[in-house]
């Protein structure tokens, strides 16, 4: 599918381009500011296109430039389509501000009218996506979204000033890109699609970002159980890369080998660690009352032994990193793991909760 994207160099354009690449069925034709500035380039780009996504717009300039500039982009686009005889599906990234009494609102509304009128005359599908405030990875602070500004401040260790704590509706750029991809197919009439977002306030968004930032700074993953929090977290992380990385892990070593905690995850998502164990060494010999544990030998050979604390048969499992398997340790069972090979043993552990020294749920008891 040959898909032309105007404004491809912008924030939303970059997100859409990656989404279309992931779909694997699109030949993306980029239409940049330079393409619009040279009519022959614009016409060449539109030859044989199956779909056009119009993202290009003017957000910051004089009032006249913003209003008339957005209108002019739409007019130039449809004129070029007519010149090459193209009749593609047309998708327009509009704004909830369209129709408001502002230069931007008037310009976006007039552009929508031009595109809708053209698609009606050509009998092609036109989808007018009316979007709330869009945020996401790579947004420009103090330009694309206040979320980008907040993320940049937190990444730098500063606190932004919130002038007005107003209600806000937010939508992640990848959700927009997904809807654009879905809108290519359907009945010819298309029409206006008001895209709902996540309702919050400016202050609440900052508080949530501050919480995510504070948790991540400790080396832990925050609670990511809601899609909106996951989107916020991924957006925030994009402002840490690459300067914040790599981060050191806490390694504890003794005569048995080493133990490294890889990640702690809040919201009931547990803790992941790995250990190295020298040949002939046994680790463990303890039990838990409520903690779920999973053992995976990644490299080397080991024997995992498990016995009911109240009495019963010892179960032994000989495992190797050459054929990875997992064993979940039952509660009320003491257990250990021994390196039975001649080289270092590497074992991955996952526990259902973060280790708490005040309540470790770990009780010593030899397996045999």
């Amino acid at each position: 599918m040959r898909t032309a994207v105007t404004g491809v160099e912008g924030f939303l354009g970059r997100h859409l381009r990656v989404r279309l690449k992931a779909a694997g069925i699109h030949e993306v034709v980029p239409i940049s500011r330079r393409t619009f500035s040279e009519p022959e380039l614009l016409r060449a780009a539109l030859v044989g296109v199956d779909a056009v996504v119009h993202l290009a717009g003017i957000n910051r300039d004089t009032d006249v430039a913003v209003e008339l500039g957005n209108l002019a982009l739409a007019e130039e686009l449809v004129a070029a389509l007519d010149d090459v005889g193209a009749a593609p599906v047309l998708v327009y990234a509009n704004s909830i501000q369209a129709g408001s009494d502002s230069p931007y609102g008037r310009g976006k509304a007039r552009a929508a009218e031009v595109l809708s009128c053209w698609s009606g005359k050509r009998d092609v599908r036109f989808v007018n996506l009316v979007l709330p405030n869009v945020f996401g990875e790579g947004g420009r602070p103090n330009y694309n979204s206040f979320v980008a500004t907040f993320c940049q401040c937190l990444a730098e260790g500063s606190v932004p000033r919130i002038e007005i704590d107003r209600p806000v509706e937010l939508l992640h750029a990848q959700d927009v890109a997904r809807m654009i991809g879905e809108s290519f197919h359907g009945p010819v009439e298309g029409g206006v699609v008001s895209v709902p977002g996540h309702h919050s306030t400016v202050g609440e968004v900052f508080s949530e970002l501050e919480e995510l930032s504070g948790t991540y700074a400790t080396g832990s993953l925050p609670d990511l159980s809601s899609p909106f929090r996951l989107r916020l977290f991924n957006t925030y992380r994009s402002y840490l890369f690459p300067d914040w990385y790599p981060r050191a892990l806490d390694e504890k070593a003794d005569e048995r080998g080493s133990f490294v905690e890889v990640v702690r995850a809040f919201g009931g998502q547990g803790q992941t660690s790995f250990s190295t164990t020298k040949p002939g060494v046994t680790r463990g010999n303890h039990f838990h009352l409520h903690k779920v544990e999973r053992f995976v030998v990644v490299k080397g050979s080991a024997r995992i032994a498990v016995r009911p604390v109240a009495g019963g048969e010892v179960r032994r499992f000989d495992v190797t990193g050459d054929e990875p398997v997992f064993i979940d340790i039952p509660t009320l069972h003491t257990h250990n793991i021994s390196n039975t090979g001649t080289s270092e043993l590497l074992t991955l552990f996952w526990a259902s909760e973060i280790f708490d020294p005040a309540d470790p749920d770990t009780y010593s008891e030899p397996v045999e």
Side-chain angles (χ1 to χ4, degrees):
M1 183 173 183
R2 186 171 166 84
T3 305
V5 181
T6 74
V8 73
E9 297 170 336
F11 162 59
L12 188 52
R14 293 192 299 274
H15 274 266
L16 178 60
R17 195 168 188 174
V18 174
R19 187 89 185 191
L20 295 180
K21 184 177 182 64
I25 61 171
H26 295 270
E27 175 196 350
V28 175
V29 181
I31 297 180
S32 63
R33 290 183 180 181
R34 179 172 175 266
T35 312
F36 269 106
S37 69
E38 301 184 36
E40 67 277 11
L41 289 181
L42 181 57
R43 288 193 292 269
L46 294 173
V47 172
V49 293
D50 302 297
V52 174
V53 183
H54 185 43
L55 306 178
I58 300 174
N59 301 328
R60 302 283 192 277
D61 208 320
T62 65
D63 287 354
V64 172
V66 169
E67 181 171 352
L68 298 184
N70 281 291
L71 173 61
L73 287 171
E75 291 175 335
E76 291 168 20
L77 177 61
V78 297
L81 287 169
D82 280 338
D83 287 345
V84 299
V89 172
L90 184 57
V91 182
Y92 177 46
N94 207 343
S95 167
I96 55 173
Q97 297 183 47
S100 65
D101 190 21
S102 69
Y104 180 72
R106 291 191 295 270
K108 293 293 283 185
R110 293 176 69 185
E113 291 171 3
V114 168
L115 299 174
S116 178
C117 180
W118 178 86
S119 63
K121 291 179 180 178
R122 298 295 175 271
D123 194 28
V124 297
R125 179 173 170 78
F126 172 57
V127 181
N128 181 5
L129 291 177
V130 180
L131 306 173
N133 296 276
V134 180
F135 74 100
E137 298 90 322
R140 286 171 55 188
N142 303 306
Y143 185 81
N144 289 125
S145 166
F146 73 92
V147 176
T149 307
F150 287 173
C151 288
Q152 183 67 42
C153 288
L154 289 168
E156 294 173 347
S158 61
V159 178
R161 181 178 178 180
I162 300 175
E163 300 287 349
I164 302 174
D165 186 10
R166 58 182 177 82
V168 65
E169 188 177 359
L170 290 169
L171 189 66
H172 190 270
Q174 275 302 309
D175 293 322
V176 178
R178 173 181 54 77
M179 295 198 68
I180 289 173
E182 293 172 352
S183 68
F184 291 148
H185 308 286
V188 169
E189 64 269 15
V192 178
V193 179
S194 295
V195 185
H198 177 87
H199 291 271
S200 187
T201 69
V202 173
E204 287 171 352
V205 171
F206 176 70
S207 295
E208 202 154 4
L209 281 168
E210 193 173 36
E211 177 197 335
L212 293 169
S213 172
T215 300
Y216 194 49
T218 68
S220 299
L221 286 176
D223 180 1
L224 303 175
S225 55
S226 85
F228 180 69
R229 280 177 65 87
L230 177 61
R231 294 303 205 192
L232 274 184
F233 182 60
N234 281 334
T235 301
Y236 168 66
R237 288 193 304 120
S238 72
Y239 295 86
L240 295 177
F241 188 85
D243 295 341
W244 199 70
Y245 303 96
R247 311 297 293 184
L249 292 171
D250 182 23
E251 180 179 12
K252 296 178 175 61
D254 56 27
E255 67 281 356
R256 300 173 300 170
S258 63
F259 183 85
V260 180
E261 180 184 285
V262 178
V263 62
R264 290 170 288 159
F266 282 77
Q269 299 171 75
Q271 176 176 326
T272 303
S273 312
F274 72 85
S275 74
T276 62
T277 305
K278 297 177 181 178
V281 170
T282 297
R283 289 181 176 276
N285 284 315
H286 59 237
F287 65 93
H288 312 294
L289 298 179
H290 54 78
K291 185 184 301 183
V292 179
E293 271 193 325
R294 173 166 292 187
F295 286 20
V296 178
V297 169
V298 178
K299 183 180 180 181
S301 300
R303 171 169 288 177
I304 298 171
V306 184
R307 174 181 62 79
V309 174
E313 181 182 356
V314 177
R315 301 287 185 175
R316 300 176 182 87
F317 304 90
D318 291 314
V319 295
T320 173
D322 294 335
E323 299 178 3
V325 297
F326 71 84
I327 295 177
D328 289 345
I329 308 301
T331 52
L332 315 182
H333 283 62
T334 185
H335 50 276
N336 64 31
I337 181 169
S338 303
N339 185 345
T340 57
T342 58
S343 61
E344 186 176 70
L345 175 69
L346 178 61
T347 310
L348 179 71
F349 303 97
W350 177 82
S352 60
E353 60 189 50
I354 297 168
F355 181 77
D356 180 1
D359 183 20
D361 187 33
T362 301
Y363 307 92
S364 296
E365 170 79 8
V367 174
E368 49 190 338

